[in-house]
């Protein structure tokens, strides 16, 4: 391998390592904030800030709080899944595995997780808005749907590129 290519690969590995550490920190923060939000909802203390609107859970019935707590946990689990697959993707990159089936699979899973986060974020916001009396309005966002769809398409292109590379390597 040429020296300039090796230098670029070292840079990719170094930046990927740093981004992987950032993902680990974000995974820890998502876990802590998610647990805090679920506890807040389940015990009816405090409120959830969603879209710059505070949703107070103190006056809700136990059944309502349990349902809202489950939706909150699922929403944070979807967000955790997004950063988990991003963490794994940067792990592949930090090992120099850039155009491989494993990295394409992680990119695809990241795109799917972004779509899942979009759905759960919408469900979570809707359940928060409907749980308070009187019901409040909230504003949904489609950004994670667009990002997820684009990532799935990019993963599809990369998968075809891996096929072409493997076919090219087998050609004598």
């Amino acid at each position: 391998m040429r020296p300039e290519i090796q230098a670029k690969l070292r840079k990719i590995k170094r930046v990927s390592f740093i981004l992987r550490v950032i993902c680990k920190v974000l995974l820890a923060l998502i876990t802590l904030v998610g647990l805090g939000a679920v506890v807040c909802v389940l015990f009816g203390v405090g409120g959830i800030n969603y879209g710059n609107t505070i949703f107070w859970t103190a006056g809700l019935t136990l059944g309502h709080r349990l349902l809202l707590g489950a939706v909150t946990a699922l929403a944070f689990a979807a967000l955790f899944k997004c950063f988990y697959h991003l963490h794994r993707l940067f792990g592949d990159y930090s090992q120099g595995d850039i155009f491989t089936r494993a990295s394409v699979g992680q990119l695809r899973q990241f795109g799917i997780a972004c779509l899942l986060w979009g759905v759960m974020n919408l469900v979570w916001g809707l359940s928060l808005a409907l749980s308070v009396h009187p019901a409040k309005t909230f504003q949904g966002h489609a950004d994670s749907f667009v990002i997820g769809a684009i990532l799935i398409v990019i993963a599809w292109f990369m998968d075809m590129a891996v096929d072409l590379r493997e076919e090219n390597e087998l050609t004598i």
Side-chain angles (χ1 to χ4, degrees):
M1 194 181 301
R2 296 185 316 206
E4 58 269 5
I5 299 296
Q6 287 178 344
K8 287 179 182 178
L9 186 58
R10 278 192 304 273
K11 186 183 278 188
I12 288 171
K13 287 180 177 182
R14 185 174 50 246
V15 170
S16 296
F17 176 79
I18 292 167
L19 291 173
R20 190 167 194 229
V21 169
I22 292 170
C23 282
K24 283 183 185 189
V25 170
L26 289 173
L27 285 170
L29 285 173
I30 290 167
T31 302
L32 292 174
V33 170
L35 286 173
V38 169
V39 167
C40 176
V41 169
L42 290 179
F43 290 110
V45 295
I48 304 269
N49 184 353
Y50 184 92
N52 293 329
T53 303
I54 304 279
F55 294 93
W56 300 101
T57 59
L60 300 176
T61 64
L62 178 63
H64 208 138
R65 287 194 320 253
L66 289 173
L67 184 62
L68 190 57
V71 171
T72 301
L74 288 173
F76 276 97
L79 185 59
F80 185 90
K81 181 174 172 53
C82 286
F83 283 97
Y84 173 74
H85 289 294
L86 192 59
H87 173 265
R88 297 270 314 261
L89 180 65
F90 287 132
D92 289 343
Y93 289 173
S94 67
Q95 295 172 2
D97 300 331
I98 299 167
F99 292 106
T100 63
R101 294 256 181 243
S103 64
V104 170
Q106 289 304 321
L107 185 62
R108 182 180 299 110
Q109 289 298 316
F110 178 53
I112 292 168
C114 285
L115 290 175
L116 181 62
W117 163 245
V119 169
M120 287 311 303
N121 191 23
L122 188 64
V123 169
W124 187 41
L126 184 61
S127 66
L128 284 170
L130 293 175
S131 67
V132 294
H133 187 72
K136 292 185 180 183
T137 59
F138 77 101
Q139 188 173 20
H141 300 283
D143 51 352
S144 61
F145 292 113
V146 173
I147 291 169
I150 290 171
L151 287 172
I152 291 170
V153 170
I154 290 171
W156 179 65
F157 282 125
M158 285 182 65
D159 195 32
M160 289 191 302
V162 168
D163 284 340
L164 291 172
R165 189 193 78 208
E166 288 173 354
E167 185 178 317
N168 190 30
E169 288 175 353
L170 293 174
T171 305
I172 300 176

